[in-house]
């Protein structure tokens, strides 16, 4: 049921992106906002569902296999979208995108994060699959299983590694690049998923753990917003 749900989200987002591409080419700002919102919605919704499957046996093999598979699927179906506020900084910093357009895309990403969370909570309330039972009663299921300073350093390091790999992979054939990036993300999730969740995406972090941001805003904004943004800034300064 979870796989069907995530596949349905991917298909629906693909149809919405295609419709926007056909109807809104003459309105570039609205087109950019909607495409980025649809794309980020897909990643946030699917990752919310994947987070419930972490304890499916055999673990962690099932969760890591699904992470790799859906990361490849996202890479193939969401070409042209960053779906990450940190990734949006690069063209803005380099002058390829205006500050207003960059801000518009970041706004779209956080709108999508909220919509994806609301949508998944509605789906979970229907309790169509076993992992959905009790999912809404968890509250802040904190992914931070270490000290705040260590969590900050881990998310910073993972953001640097990920953003550096994305830059270095730009010269790789796209059909191989998506697998390289998916493999890297899976390795990072395996290495740090039990400590911080290995998210390194501010919009995705907010979609997954909004309750934790409400309860401990300063701590979670430092680890899941400032750390990955600082990692991206360091990469931009170096390269």
């Amino acid at each position: 049921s979870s796989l069907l749900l995530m596949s349905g989200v991917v298909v629906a987002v693909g149809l919405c992106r295609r419709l926007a591409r056909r109807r809104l080419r003459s309105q570039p700002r609205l087109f950019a906002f909607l495409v980025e919102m649809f794309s980020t919605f897909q990643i946030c919704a699917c990752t919310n569902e994947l987070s419930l499957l972490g304890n499916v046996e055999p673990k962690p093999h099932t969760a890591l296999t699904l992470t790799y598979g859906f990361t490849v699927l996202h890479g193939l179906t969401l070409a042209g979208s960053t779906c990450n506020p940190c990734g949006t900084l690069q063209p803005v910093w380099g002058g390829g995108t205006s500050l207003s357009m960059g801000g518009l895309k970041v706004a779209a990403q956080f709108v999508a994060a909220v919509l994806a969370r609301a949508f998944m909570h509605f789906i979970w309330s229907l309790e169509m699959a076993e992992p959905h039972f009790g999912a809404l009663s968890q509250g802040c299921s904190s992914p931070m299983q270490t000290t705040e300073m260590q969590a900050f350093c881990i998310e910073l390091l993972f953001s640097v590694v990920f953003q550096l790999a994305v830059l270095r992979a730009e010269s790789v054939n796209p059909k191989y690049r998506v697998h390289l990036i998916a493999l890297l993300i899976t390795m990072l999730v395996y290495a740090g998923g039990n400590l911080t969740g290995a998210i390194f995406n501010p919009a995705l972090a907010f979609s997954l753990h909004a309750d934790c941001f409400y309860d401990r805003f300063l701590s979670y904004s430092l680890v899941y917003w400032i750390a990955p943004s600082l990692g991206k800034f360091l990469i931009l300064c170096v390269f």
Side-chain angles (χ1 to χ4, degrees):
S1 299
S2 292
L3 291 177
L4 288 175
L5 172 61
M6 290 186 285
S7 299
V9 169
V10 172
V11 171
V13 167
L15 293 175
C16 290
R17 280 168 54 94
R18 180 173 297 182
L19 182 63
R21 190 172 290 109
R22 288 181 177 179
R23 300 293 180 86
L24 299 174
R25 279 296 190 181
S26 59
Q27 304 178 55
R29 287 186 172 273
L30 180 59
F31 171 74
F33 180 89
L34 289 178
V35 168
E36 195 65 32
M37 186 185 72
F38 292 144
S39 303
T40 308
F41 178 90
Q42 174 177 314
I43 288 180
C44 290
C46 290
T47 308
N48 268 279
E49 185 68 16
L50 283 173
S51 67
L52 298 182
L53 304 179
N55 293 323
V56 174
E57 296 292 346
K59 57 181 183 181
H61 307 83
T62 300
L64 292 175
T65 300
L66 290 174
T67 298
Y68 175 81
F70 274 90
T71 303
V72 170
L73 185 61
H74 295 327
L76 294 174
T77 58
L78 302 179
S81 299
T82 59
C83 308
N84 186 337
C86 298
T88 306
L89 293 175
Q90 181 177 343
V92 174
W93 180 273
T97 300
S98 66
L99 183 61
S100 60
M101 181 61 77
L104 188 70
K105 289 186 176 182
V106 170
Q109 291 157 0
F110 276 97
V111 168
V114 174
L115 292 177
R117 182 172 179 81
F119 172 74
M120 294 309 299
H121 276 213
F122 169 73
I123 295 296
W124 294 345
S125 69
L126 302 178
E127 297 187 340
M128 297 185 299
E130 183 177 350
H132 298 173
F133 299 154
L136 296 180
S137 62
Q138 294 179 0
C140 173
S141 54
S142 176
M144 200 187 304
Q145 302 299 317
T146 183
T147 66
E148 184 177 304
M149 181 55 64
Q150 288 178 336
F152 177 88
C153 293
I154 290 171
E155 287 293 309
L156 173 63
L157 175 63
F158 283 6
S159 178
V160 168
V161 171
F162 175 71
Q163 301 295 343
L164 180 60
V166 170
L167 286 176
R168 301 299 294 177
E170 288 181 349
S171 58
V172 178
N173 188 308
K175 67 180 181 180
Y176 301 123
R177 183 194 311 154
V178 66
H179 289 280
L180 290 174
I181 297 300
L183 180 60
L184 173 63
I185 290 176
T186 304
M187 292 172 62
L188 293 177
V189 169
Y190 178 72
N194 63 324
L195 297 175
T196 67
I199 303 173
F200 47 90
N201 181 333
L204 178 58
F206 185 71
S207 184
L208 291 173
H209 305 292
D211 292 335
C212 298
F213 279 93
Y214 299 149
D215 295 342
R216 298 166 55 189
F217 177 78
L218 291 178
S219 175
Y220 274 73
S221 60
L222 177 68
V223 173
Y224 295 105
W225 287 354
I226 296 177
S229 299
L230 179 59
K232 182 62 177 180
F233 179 75
L234 291 175
I235 292 296
L236 292 175
C237 288
V238 173
F239 287 90

